[in-house]
Amino acid sequence: MTLQINPFILVDGTASDAITFYQEALGAELLFKQTVGEGPQNPDSPMTDQEKARIAHSVLLVGETKFFVADQEVGQPLSYGNAITICITADTADEAQQLYDSLKAGGTVDIELAPAYFSPAFGMVTDKYGVCFQIFTKRAQ
């Protein structure tokens, strides 16, 4: 059996902005994007142009990892928390610093990026979309 696990980031009406943010902050490549309006429509429940513009699904690629970003369905609540974080492993402390600085823009610092006993540079930020990232740097072998 082959399994694949991909992070799926849900936001409330800001997925287009989040996609652009991750393209800039992480160098993400946009592989696919579909709006709600591009999907099947229910003629009994017409949508506004704003609802049609929401992102139904997108696929981004960072390194070898695909992750998804979409807008939550209208009327469905989102619940934020740090029970699940996305860990990004960088080869060097300089790369880690660049990622850390990019992701913290508009967000909050949870743990300052600094050397730790297990990593030359480790830190945590919650970005402006409420997603918690751990930035980890590999030790030199």
Side-chain angles (χ1 to χ4, degrees), residues 12-72:
D12 191 12
T14 57
S16 287
D17 293 337
I19 290 166
T20 300
F21 176 75
Y22 295 128
Q23 287 176 305
E24 294 169 1
L26 301 175
E29 178 186 350
L30 180 62
L31 301 179
F32 175 81
K33 181 172 75 171
Q34 182 179 27
T35 65
V36 172
E38 292 170 327
Q41 304 294 305
N42 180 349
D44 297 330
S45 297
M47 289 186 276
T48 66
D49 288 341
Q50 187 177 7
E51 290 171 329
K52 289 179 185 178
R54 292 171 74 95
I55 303 301
H57 189 62
S58 70
V59 179
L60 291 96
L61 179 68
V62 175
E64 298 177 8
T65 303
K66 290 180 183 176
F67 70 101
F68 312 134
V69 177
D71 286 308
Q72 179 72 321

Side-chain angles (χ1 to χ4, degrees), residues 21 24-26 96-106 125 127:
F21 176 75
E24 294 169 1
L26 301 175
Q97 186 69 57
Q98 182 181 4
L99 291 164
Y100 181 84
D101 290 341
S102 294
L103 289 166
K104 77 176 184 180
V125 297
D127 73 13

Side-chain angles (χ1 to χ4, degrees), residues 3-15:
L3 297 176
Q4 184 177 358
I5 297 176
N6 302 92
F8 198 122
I9 298 170
L10 285 174
V11 294
D12 191 12
T14 57

